[in-house]
Amino acid sequence: MNIYSVRMRAADETGHHLSGMERLVLDDDIAMTIQELYQRAWHNHPHDVHITIEKIDQEITQVPVLRIRSGVPTKSPKSLVRTQARQILLDAHIHPDVIDYAFSLLDRGPAASGGNMRGAVLLTKHSGRRLEPDKDRGVRTVRVDVHPKDREHLQRALVQQGFPHPRTQDAVILATKTLWAGVIAELGWSDDPDYTTGFVATKGTYWRFEGIKDAGVNLGGRIYFVEEDADTAELMKRLQQIPIWVMVSTEFARNEGEHSYE
């Protein structure tokens, strides 16, 4: 049984990143997956779409999916949403000034040259130093997907728990590997102007926050909070080179309803 990484990247006429997605699939599913990723890319009316197919020759590590919770009730004001997200980051021992800096980066676009990044910012948790080698491209979490036998199981479980949007599944899969790789906490939201939900992931839980940004805003991204003495090379190796299957446990499926952060 051969496993392949199928990755899509869409860009505008200036080369700026619009969207990206990855699947780990069997040989027989490659053609269907290419069509799926192409349709996802076309939603943003790109100028260029690049699809890469790469055989996975390494053994794939299995990692349990993060728990998922709602951080605040639906339709809460943005100020409350951000206060609750901030509190979770404080509980993860991220310095308050660094949290403020992280929000400001995503609000204005985290790329050093302005606008959105293809990858994530690596930010030290106390001093707020940016560690990513390329501050316009960032650091990507790749070679990860939910295990094929668990894909429908995960989709059903998320719907039952009140999280039906496909973006939630994509984000929790990526966040699962990101925390496994050694990131302390992650803050993120989409640059899609029509999608205002963001998240904080830390301590084995993915906290989902509706209304973390205003509608119509096309800026966003992801912040990876790391230790002050983080081994950047080793962390990037784990994020980008080691393939991961995200596994769905019976316990995950038994979690019912939405839970507010207290």
Side-chain angles (χ1 to χ4, degrees):
M1 178 179 67
N2 292 324
I3 305 294
Y4 292 84
S5 167
V6 183
R7 299 190 295 274
M8 174 274 292
R9 178 179 181 265
D12 63 18
E13 62 275 5
T14 68
H16 285 171
H17 176 74
L18 292 176
S19 66
M21 197 175 195
E22 179 182 27
R23 289 283 180 258
L24 300 185
V25 299
L26 304 175
D27 310 59
D28 294 343
D29 295 327
I30 290 176
M32 178 181 65
T33 302
I34 291 173
Q35 181 64 24
E36 173 192 346
L37 297 188
Y38 178 78
Q39 290 176 347
R40 174 72 171 262
W42 203 250
H43 172 74
N44 295 291
H45 306 291
H47 185 270
D48 297 303
V49 178
H50 299 273
I51 292 181
T52 303
I53 303 172
E54 177 187 12
K55 185 179 178 183
I56 300 293
D57 293 320
Q58 303 163 259
E59 182 178 352
I60 303 181
T61 301
Q62 297 184 359
V63 178
V65 68
L66 298 177
R67 296 181 297 273
I68 182 168
R69 298 289 186 268
S70 280
V72 291
T74 302
K75 296 184 179 179
S76 296
K78 187 177 77 171
S79 58
L80 174 61
V81 174
R82 292 198 171 191
T83 296
Q84 294 292 70
R86 192 175 190 276
Q87 184 60 54
I88 294 174
L89 292 170
L90 287 170
D91 290 345
H93 307 294
I94 312 301
H95 192 280
D97 291 344
V98 176
I99 296 172
D100 292 341
Y101 178 47
F103 273 98
S104 71
L105 282 174
L106 297 187
D107 280 334
R108 68 174 186 254
S113 60
N116 298 315
M117 296 171 65
R118 183 178 177 185
V121 173
L122 287 183
L123 201 62
T124 55
K125 69 176 187 179
H126 287 148
S127 63
R129 289 179 294 119
R130 291 184 65 164
L131 301 182
E132 68 274 21
D134 187 330
K135 293 176 178 56
D136 280 318
R137 294 173 59 87
V139 175
R140 300 180 64 207
T141 298
V142 295
R143 295 177 177 82
V144 58
D145 201 358
V146 64
H147 194 283
K149 75 176 182 61
D150 285 347
R151 182 172 298 280
E152 290 186 8
H153 189 189
L154 178 59
Q155 290 171 343
R156 287 196 304 269
L158 290 175
V159 170
Q160 290 169 359
Q161 293 179 39
F163 310 113
H165 201 291
R167 285 184 182 270
T168 301
Q169 175 172 304
D170 296 340
V172 77
I173 289 170
L174 288 173
T176 296
K177 181 177 183 182
T178 297
L179 296 192
W180 166 86
V183 169
I184 300 168
E186 178 181 1
L187 167 70
W189 61 78
S190 173
D191 55 16
D192 185 334
D194 299 321
Y195 191 70
T196 63
T197 298
F199 68 92
V200 172
T202 189
K203 299 181 180 179
T205 301
Y206 175 99
W207 293 94
R208 185 174 181 272
F209 290 96
E210 293 186 19
I212 201 168
K213 73 167 191 176
D214 295 323
V217 176
N218 64 352
L219 296 170
R222 291 168 290 143
I223 308 288
Y224 294 171
F225 299 95
V226 300
E227 297 286 357
E228 292 294 318
D229 60 352
D231 184 336
T232 306
E234 178 62 24
L235 177 60
M236 291 178 62
K237 176 183 176 182
R238 290 170 67 85
L239 289 169
Q240 298 178 349
Q241 296 181 22
I242 300 177
I244 295 292
W245 283 132
V246 173
M247 311 300 291
V248 179
S249 66
T250 303
E251 289 74 18
F252 180 90
R254 287 175 181 164
N255 289 329
E256 296 179 353
E258 298 191 1
H259 302 257
S260 294
Y261 181 75
E262 300 177 354

